[in-house]
Amino acid sequence: MKPCYFLFTLLIFCTACKKDLIRKDGNFRLRFEHTVGTVPLALGATVYQNPSAEAYTVSAFKYYISNIYLVKMDNSILRLPASYHLVDESKPDSKTFLVPAPQGEYRAIGFKLGVDSIRNVSGAQTDALDPALGMFWSWNSGYIMAKMEGASPLSTAPNNILNFHIGGFKGQYNAVQDFRLQTPISINVAPDRAPEVTFSADLNAWFRQPNPVSFATSATIHTPGEAAFKISENYKNMFRITNVTDL
């Protein structure tokens, strides 16, 4: 075989390999919808009731989604490159985002609610982890994993405020919570299709089991510790998948 012909054949083969690798890449989309019980969440004057039948309104609701992974049909886990997303009810565009993933069929999705310890001690961050977004306490305390603010006539705090700023990444009061949810149907990632998985997050789960909360006795949390950890144990129950569609 002549050298030039061999090189031409090799070039075609490598190009085909590259195209094959590209064909194996795809995306899926995560969408988050927020409710209070079965009622859609609306920031402002809408009055809701917590599980203790206490009235409250909501002015802010946001949390971090990170360390996303997929579960294959054989139950093996595919961990995706690290990414951090701040889901903010006041910013509709933040509640839907695209996640790159290899082509394949998957039966479940996992992620963390919060920011892992490495990022908490990595100094100034950018994008969703920018401290200017109001989700960072100090270099010693780290990130606020989830935040709910509002008001309740039962609150004894000034102006009847509710401030639940949940954080902490060390020791027994680590508030980063892990989630793994089975999809009602498998999701198929491919170059020509980008499945969308819709999650519903119930804010009332923050105040339900296993650690019931009454606004009359607990209306503000601003530091890591046992109180914040107990709320994180509660909101571990707030997500469910409501829909899977191909786009």
Side-chain angles (χ1 to χ4, degrees):
M1 181 182 292
K2 295 181 178 180
C4 59
Y5 182 78
F6 173 77
L7 291 175
F8 179 72
T9 303
L10 181 62
L11 178 62
I12 293 176
F13 176 77
C14 291
T15 302
C17 290
K18 184 177 180 182
K19 287 182 179 180
D20 184 59
L21 288 175
I22 293 174
R23 281 198 297 270
K24 291 182 179 178
D25 292 334
N27 302 283
F28 65 96
R29 196 179 304 270
L30 298 185
R31 177 184 297 275
F32 292 85
E33 298 176 343
H34 300 147
T35 67
V36 181
T38 59
V39 180
L41 173 63
L43 301 181
T46 303
V47 178
Y48 303 100
Q49 285 196 335
N50 71 6
S52 298
E54 298 170 330
Y56 71 104
T57 58
V58 183
S59 58
F61 183 51
K62 58 182 81 173
Y63 50 87
Y64 279 109
I65 297 295
S66 65
N67 300 89
I68 300 167
Y69 67 86
L70 294 168
V71 180
K72 299 180 181 180
M73 300 306 289
D74 63 1
N75 285 323
S76 61
I77 292 176
L78 174 66
R79 298 197 180 276
L80 302 176
S83 62
Y84 301 83
H85 307 271
L86 181 57
V87 179
D88 185 344
E89 175 61 26
S90 70
K91 299 177 180 179
D93 288 347
S94 75
K95 297 194 293 180
T96 303
F97 51 86
L98 204 62
V99 181
Q103 178 174 323
E105 185 177 8
Y106 305 96
R107 63 185 304 163
I109 296 175
F111 54 82
K112 293 183 183 294
L113 192 160
V115 179
D116 54 77
S117 59
I118 292 176
R119 289 287 184 162
N120 270 278
V121 299
S122 296
Q125 310 278 317
T126 57
D127 300 324
L129 296 175
D130 190 333
L133 296 175
M135 294 292 284
F136 194 83
W137 277 315
S138 70
W139 299 119
N140 291 323
S141 297
Y143 282 93
I144 299 170
M145 311 305 178
K147 175 185 289 188
M148 176 271 176
E149 296 178 348
S152 171
L154 278 298
S155 169
T156 59
N159 300 314
N160 302 119
I161 64 169
L162 299 174
N163 277 348
F164 292 92
H165 296 183
I166 309 305
F169 63 95
K170 300 177 182 178
Q172 63 179 324
Y173 297 136
N174 185 348
V176 178
Q177 293 291 351
D178 294 301
F179 295 81
R180 174 171 166 169
L181 291 91
Q182 184 100 9
T183 55
I185 59 173
S186 62
I187 59 174
N188 289 279
V189 177
D192 59 345
R193 61 198 302 177
E196 180 176 274
V197 182
T198 302
F199 292 84
S200 177
D202 178 7
L203 175 54
N204 258 351
W206 285 44
F207 314 116
R208 201 178 287 126
Q209 300 294 336
N211 305 298
V213 174
S214 168
F215 298 148
T217 56
S218 179
T220 61
I221 297 174
H222 291 124
T223 58
E226 184 178 6
F229 175 70
K230 285 184 175 180
I231 295 291
S232 77
E233 285 189 306
N234 288 354
Y235 64 50
K236 190 173 175 63
N237 299 310
M238 78 173 178
F239 290 114
R240 62 188 180 91
I241 294 177
T242 57
N243 195 31
V244 177
T245 57
D246 277 332
L247 297 178

